Amino acid sequence: MNKSKTAFYKIANAIIIALSIGYCNILYGEEVPLPSFSPERIHKHITYMASKETDGRLIGGDGSDKAARYIEEIYSKYGLEPAGKYSGYFQPFEIKTRHLSSKNHFYIGSHEFELKRDFIPLYFAGEVEVSGVTSLANSGLKVEDYRNCQGKIAVVLGDTPVGDENRNELIIKKIELAQEGGVKGLIIAVKSADALYNDLTTFPEFIHPAYLKRWKSQHPSMTDTLLEIKTTSTIAKLKMPSMKIPVLMFVWEKPVEGLSVDIKVRFDDMAIKGKNIIGLIKGKSDEVVIVSAHYDHLGRDGEGNIFYGADDNGTGIAALLEIASSLSKVKNKLKRSVLFIAFDGEEWGLQGAKAYVNNSVFPHEKTIAMLNMDTIGRNKPDEIYILGSLRNPDLKRLNDRVNEEVGLKLLDTIEFAFDHGSDHYPFYEKGIPSIDYTSSYHEDFHKVTDTVEKVNIDKVSKVAELIFRVAYEIATTDIKFDKPKKIYVPFPKK
């Protein structure tokens, strides 16, 4: 080949390469800068989050406050701005914990029945005392059932067949119809004391024996606080109606029409103060991508041992801080803003995430995607689960594409764990494309043995790199995603 042809082909190849790069940049944005993740910093972040000083990071405690201040300091160091809507970097909120009061009572005539043996109020019942005559509303699943119950104490049958519907949903439907029908109070009659146990009647003082057995197997040294966490998170999964009337479940098989009854419902409520830590890297548009992880954990067990929570979720916080560091160095390239949220109250039923979506910095319709990390440093070193793959297939495809540069194995085989699994879920409920990155359960999950030396730092770094690349592409391009699909994936049967 002569020299002129060689030169021509070199020039042609250079043009083709340049055009190809340009085309890729048009499709996918600028070539992604390599993130400057530091294994030493990641280890340092996890070590502090899972230290004696942070004392298990129980929401509202001194250890939790120290963890929050640590995250706040790193945000400031990396140049993240307060979101402007809250008090500095902190978004405060409260969690209500509810206990049964000894002042509850239930009488038929002059006979008093025993709380927790004969009757139990529902968690969201109105705190009032009423007296009146009972009127049977049969199954109570139609508004017509309450036609003769206005101004009376309605009685519905709690042991009706549920068919394909969820029992909780049926009970809530009865209660809403009863209130709509103008009743003074509602009694749900059941045939046995076992039927009193229900998610809707879960209190620290009244827990289904199967739940209690499972929880105690997880935490042999159970504490009142752990019971509060378990019951509050169980209730938090339910969509509670707003009730003004007293509602209770009652063991009764005799005729229920025309009885004179007196009902009093009282609870002992306490408020626990929590705070999300929110930092912003501003882009040029009014749209945003959210990167998040929760920082709270379980405190101590009954023997005083610390739940260190190195993987759950020191790893997620370490990755979040490293992603913030890397994106802050390329902030001039961002079209969209990136909002970093360290959530509090996740262990109590995603309370911090719920507080944010109910009082968000950016409108939901301007939130392009939510990328959450929860326990990302254990199990196989090259695997990570992408919860939300079925609900957000286009967002999953973006992960698959950028992962070609990272080399992880992205798994979508535990989609049943998506619902209520972590802080992504309240965003999904609002129609925001959401992914949760997780290594899933391991033998130290929610145990005092979840410690730093068991974490795979290289895995945390690789997962952080993946999420950095996903967030960078979303923030530097005009890519959009479809609304998440409404899909229910049941837990596998044992």
Side-chain angles (χ1 to χ4, degrees):
M1 186 180 294
N2 61 41
K3 291 183 179 180
S4 60
K5 284 186 177 181
T6 301
F8 170 79
Y9 284 124
K10 284 183 178 180
I11 294 170
N13 286 335
I15 292 171
I16 290 169
I17 292 169
L19 288 174
S20 297
I21 292 172
Y23 179 66
C24 290
N25 287 344
I26 289 168
L27 280 179
Y28 306 128
E30 296 181 23
E31 188 177 353
V32 179
L34 290 175
S36 55
F37 294 149
S38 163
E40 291 77 17
R41 278 200 306 263
I42 288 174
H43 186 269
K44 177 185 175 184
H45 294 325
I46 298 172
T47 299
Y48 183 77
M49 297 302 291
S51 66
K52 290 183 178 179
E53 186 173 351
T54 57
D55 198 30
R57 309 188 305 277
L58 182 67
I59 186 172
D62 290 341
S64 173
D65 188 62
K66 289 176 181 178
R69 298 293 175 185
Y70 179 86
I71 297 166
E72 177 191 35
E73 182 180 333
I74 301 296
Y75 278 6
S76 179
K77 177 181 176 181
Y78 292 159
L80 276 65
E81 301 177 21
K85 190 171 184 177
Y86 315 117
S87 175
Y89 291 105
F90 295 156
Q91 179 196 17
F93 63 91
E94 288 188 349
I95 298 174
K96 180 180 74 176
T97 63
R98 172 158 283 188
H99 294 256
L100 287 170
S101 169
S102 61
K103 297 177 181 178
N104 286 279
H105 72 229
F106 177 56
Y107 288 88
I108 295 180
S110 61
H111 181 79
E112 183 176 8
F113 291 86
E114 185 176 332
L115 178 66
K116 298 193 291 185
R117 186 193 71 183
D118 303 316
F119 78 97
I120 190 77
L122 270 68
Y123 189 92
F124 52 86
E127 291 190 82
V128 291
E129 182 174 5
V130 297
S131 299
V133 177
T134 60
S135 179
L136 180 62
N138 296 314
S139 67
L141 290 172
K142 298 178 291 188
V143 69
E144 298 82 37
D145 291 340
Y146 300 94
R147 186 173 292 136
N148 298 320
C149 300
Q150 189 169 5
K152 298 180 180 180
I153 311 295
V155 180
V156 297
L157 305 178
D159 293 330
T160 52
V162 298
D164 293 329
E165 292 191 39
N166 181 280
R167 186 186 180 209
N168 294 336
E169 293 173 356
L170 282 177
I171 292 173
I172 290 172
K173 182 178 179 180
K174 295 177 184 186
I175 295 166
E176 290 175 332
L177 289 173
Q179 186 161 261
E180 182 182 333
V183 307
K184 291 173 66 176
L186 181 66
I187 299 170
I188 301 171
V190 296
K191 294 180 180 179
S192 69
D194 285 344
L196 294 178
Y197 291 103
N198 184 277
D199 287 348
L200 301 169
T201 58
T202 298
F203 300 89
E205 303 81 13
F206 191 78
I207 299 169
H208 194 290
Y211 281 9
L212 192 58
K213 181 180 179 180
R214 185 171 76 243
W215 293 347
K216 285 187 174 180
S217 70
Q218 296 169 343
H219 306 294
S221 186
M222 183 63 75
T223 66
D224 290 344
T225 298
L226 286 171
L227 284 177
E228 282 187 328
I229 292 172
K230 293 291 189 181
T231 54
T232 304
S233 61
T234 296
I235 289 293
K237 295 177 183 178
L238 306 173
K239 296 188 182 300
M240 295 294 189
S242 176
M243 296 301 300
K244 296 180 181 179
I245 61 172
V247 183
L248 56 84
M249 299 188 83
F250 173 51
V251 182
W252 190 253
E253 293 191 74
K254 299 177 182 179
V256 295
E257 188 78 32
L259 302 174
S260 295
V261 302
D262 184 86
I263 300 171
K264 184 177 183 179
V265 172
R266 290 288 186 272
F267 302 113
D268 293 328
D269 290 344
M270 294 179 288
I272 299 173
K273 295 184 183 298
K275 52 180 174 287
N276 298 327
I277 308 106
I278 302 178
L280 178 67
I281 299 177
K282 282 186 179 179
K284 299 177 179 67
S285 77
D286 60 351
E287 295 178 326
V288 70
V289 55
I290 292 174
V291 179
S292 67
H294 76 88
Y295 72 96
D296 68 302
H297 201 48
L298 302 174
R300 291 177 178 247
D301 71 7
E303 297 176 358
N305 300 306
I306 296 173
F307 289 101
Y308 289 103
D311 190 35
D312 183 19
N313 189 28
T315 56
I317 289 297
L320 178 136
L321 295 176
E322 282 299 281
I323 295 166
S325 171
S326 295
L327 282 173
S328 67
K329 295 171 184 175
V330 293
K331 60 184 178 182
N332 292 335
K333 296 183 179 182
L334 304 184
K335 291 183 178 181
R336 292 165 170 154
S337 297
V338 183
L339 194 68
F340 292 87
I341 310 179
F343 288 116
D344 204 355
E346 189 271 351
E347 303 287 7
W348 295 73
L350 320 181
Q351 300 289 344
K354 292 177 179 178
Y356 176 83
V357 298
N358 290 329
N359 185 21
S360 59
V361 178
F362 288 82
H364 298 154
E365 64 272 14
K366 296 294 184 180
T367 305
I368 304 303
M370 192 275 193
L371 311 174
N372 185 63
M373 297 166 282
D374 195 349
T375 65
I376 60 171
R378 294 287 298 273
N379 297 330
K380 292 185 179 180
D382 61 343
E383 294 183 351
I384 194 74
Y385 290 96
I386 309 292
L387 291 183
S389 297
L390 295 181
R391 281 88 171 176
N392 307 276
D394 46 1
L395 183 50
K396 171 60 163 51
R397 286 193 294 271
L398 172 59
N399 277 267
D400 288 336
R401 177 162 54 76
V402 302
N403 183 55
E404 292 175 5
E405 298 295 327
V406 181
L408 286 165
K409 185 176 181 180
L410 306 186
L411 305 176
D412 58 3
T413 54
I414 59 169
E415 283 293 288
F416 55 83
F418 180 87
D419 289 5
H420 306 284
S422 190
D423 292 308
H424 62 281
Y425 192 71
F427 292 80
Y428 164 77
E429 289 187 300
K430 296 296 184 181
I432 297 168
S434 305
I435 289 285
D436 181 44
Y437 302 83
T438 181
S439 296
S440 191
Y441 299 110
H442 49 75
E443 63 272 16
D444 300 303
F445 181 77
H446 279 193
K447 295 181 180 179
V448 297
T449 51
D450 181 9
T451 49
V452 177
E453 69 274 7
K454 297 177 182 178
V455 171
N456 186 323
I457 301 299
D458 289 338
K459 178 174 180 174
V460 177
S461 183
K462 290 186 77 172
V463 174
E465 181 186 347
L466 170 68
I467 298 165
F468 165 83
R469 288 175 178 272
V470 172
Y472 181 85
E473 181 151 325
I474 297 172
T476 57
T477 68
D478 297 320
I479 191 171
K480 292 258 180 121
F481 306 102
D482 295 334
K483 289 284 186 183
K485 297 179 180 181
K486 297 297 182 182
I487 296 174
Y488 172 68
V489 180
F491 272 77
K493 294 181 180 180
K494 294 183 179 180

